[in-house]
Amino acid sequence: MFFFQIFTDLQEESEPDESKAKQQKVSSDNWVDEHGDYLYGLAVQRVGDPRAAEDIVQDTFMAGLKALDSFQGRSTERTWLVSILRHKIIDFYRKNKRFVYFDQDGDPEESAAFYHSGRLKGTWKPEFAPKEWFENPVDALEKKEFQDILQECIKNLPKNLAAVFTIREMDGWSTEEICKELKISQSNLWVMLHRSRMQLRQCLEKNWFSG
Amino acid sequence: MTSVKIKIMTNMMLILNKLTASCEIITEKISESIDHKLTLKERITIRIHITFCKFCRRYYRQLTMMHHYFEERLKKESQSSPPAGSSLSLEAKGRIKKNLKKNT
């Protein structure tokens, strides 16, 4: 009885190795069906372009298959794939640095336009001064119309501002990590984030929060 | 509002801006406070300014709420509810499956 148990234990141990290759093949097809749409939805939100989003999803699966050994079931498969996707998004923006000029921090005129110049220098212009919001954005979390407007407002930002805002707020990377990845200075990034928040706040207020 | 009232308020704003910093600079610092820890002096300056300036006070509150919104969304995302709208076409799924097989 005891020997028999050892024997079956051994058998069980050797089993995973044999079927590993097969398992990988099976899971790659399953992955696309099970998580493809979900990951694609996240990618479209972050890069806008459908074709680029498709490539990012494919890269995510590819990296996932390669790193399958490191996935130890500590998180769900989906959470794990999403974290790979977040890396792929930042990779995408790094590769597109040529098209998104991170070294220019946007049009300074654009945010200066929010304030008076001259005698009243640096105070809010009445038309841009923040109004009272009728709702806390957190309460709009589940509302599709709000998400659409937010998406539209981000899309309307200058490209470099939209990119840093997406990486910072939508994917939650720290500013240190972003600077390292995109090779830009902290102060440069802070100014870009400031301008993106300023313009985004204005757009959301106009289209949603002033009701 | 009468023109006298407006004049008084404007002058008060200008005094506040001299004592702390202009709204333009305060809003920049408010944004930075989301990204890194400000110095004690900077934090006190913001506090004093937003106590008296209702626009910057709203700005501070709204930016904080927006940041909180994205934090909550991030938490939700790694659970399960899928983002509404876009999904991969059948052709796209086929393309991805084929490419994955080629590369493994």
Side-chain angles (χ1 to χ4, degrees):
Chain A
M1 182 66 193
F2 181 65
F3 279 108
F4 181 68
Q5 212 168 5
I6 291 178
F7 183 63
T8 49
D9 279 355
L10 282 174
Q11 242 186 346
E12 263 168 18
E13 258 172 49
S14 63
E15 217 172 359
D17 264 352
E18 263 173 56
S19 59
K20 198 158 207 178
K22 215 196 295 169
Q23 210 182 338
Q24 281 202 1
K25 282 243 162 53
V26 173
S27 56
S28 85
D29 266 11
N30 282 355
W31 272 5
V32 178
D33 291 326
E34 233 174 274
H35 307 297
D37 287 338
Y38 184 82
L39 295 177
Y40 180 71
L42 292 184
V44 168
Q45 262 183 349
R46 282 152 178 77
V47 298
D49 179 48
R51 194 65 220 223
E54 188 188 319
D55 287 346
I56 288 171
V57 172
Q58 185 175 303
D59 289 351
T60 302
F61 284 134
M62 209 86 90
L65 284 176
K66 268 190 201 132
L68 204 58
D69 291 338
S70 75
F71 173 63
Q72 289 165 331
R74 251 176 287 134
S75 50
T76 66
E77 204 170 59
R78 176 165 288 181
T79 311
W80 179 64
L81 287 169
V82 168
S83 73
I84 297 175
L85 181 94
R86 294 194 204 289
H87 282 92
K88 294 296 164 193
I89 300 286
I90 209 167
D91 282 351
F92 168 81
Y93 280 115
R94 191 186 42 229
K95 284 182 203 147
N96 282 286
K97 257 183 106 163
R98 271 188 302 145
F99 308 107
V100 184
Y101 300 101
F102 291 111
D103 42 348
Q104 292 164 9
D105 37 27
D107 189 356
E109 305 268 312
E110 210 147 340
S111 36
F114 287 79
Y115 307 97
H116 285 294
S117 49
R119 198 176 72 87
L120 297 173
K121 195 178 179 326
T123 59
W124 289 97
K125 276 186 192 163
E127 65 268 38
F128 291 114
K131 296 184 183 70
E132 206 62 68
W133 283 5
F134 78 94
E135 186 181 35
N136 185 328
V138 175
D139 296 327
L141 207 56
E142 303 291 340
K143 291 183 188 157
K144 170 97 171 63
E145 309 105 280
F146 176 69
Q147 285 181 14
D148 289 345
I149 286 170
L150 176 63
Q151 209 53 42
E152 204 51 40
C153 285
I154 294 175
K155 221 171 91 187
N156 287 339
L157 292 172
K159 266 191 179 164
N160 56 342
L161 299 190
V164 292
F165 186 85
T166 300
I167 303 169
R168 172 81 182 102
E169 296 281 19
M170 283 174 105
D171 280 332
W173 291 99
S174 74
T175 48
E176 288 86 358
E177 286 162 327
I178 299 170
C179 288
K180 213 176 84 193
E181 290 290 331
L182 300 180
K183 297 195 170 62
I184 52 179
S185 75
Q186 294 258 20
S187 56
N188 185 205
L189 178 63
W190 292 337
V191 171
M192 281 195 279
L193 287 170
H194 160 58
R195 289 188 181 142
S196 63
R197 288 180 182 126
M198 175 72 80
Q199 289 174 39
L200 191 68
R201 194 210 69 82
Q202 179 64 29
C203 179
L204 286 174
E205 181 170 291
K206 202 171 124 200
N207 295 294
W208 183 268
F209 289 114
S210 53
Chain B
M1 241 189 300
T2 63
S3 63
V4 180
K5 253 190 182 166
I6 291 176
K7 216 170 180 180
I8 293 172
M9 278 185 62
T10 312
N11 282 330
M12 275 174 60
M13 269 321 293
L14 288 174
I15 293 168
L16 181 64
N17 282 4
K18 279 235 169 63
L19 287 176
T20 57
S22 69
C23 304
E24 191 172 358
I25 289 166
I26 294 292
T27 47
E28 199 176 325
K29 286 290 162 194
I30 288 172
S31 168
E32 274 184 37
S33 74
I34 295 172
D35 300 318
H36 69 108
K37 198 164 169 43
L38 300 178
T39 64
L40 183 63
K41 194 185 163 202
E42 286 170 328
R43 277 179 283 154
I44 291 172
T45 309
I46 292 178
R47 278 288 153 207
I48 296 172
H49 187 101
I50 65 174
T51 303
F52 297 102
C53 172
K54 74 171 174 197
F55 297 138
C56 288
R57 188 161 63 241
R58 284 178 191 159
Y59 191 81
Y60 180 80
R61 245 196 341 243
Q62 291 166 357
L63 241 55
T64 312
M65 286 195 289
M66 282 307 302
H67 185 63
H68 186 207
Y69 166 87
F70 282 107
E71 278 179 340
E72 287 302 306
R73 201 166 110 161
L74 206 59
K75 266 189 236 159
K76 276 230 164 77
E77 259 170 19
S78 14
Q79 287 156 18
S80 67
S81 66
S86 32
S87 58
L88 282 166
S89 65
L90 277 179
E91 297 85 63
K93 279 185 187 159
R95 268 199 298 274
I96 295 177
K97 283 179 187 171
K98 219 172 86 192
N99 288 333
L100 287 179
K101 289 218 176 79
K102 234 191 291 169
N103 282 281
T104 46

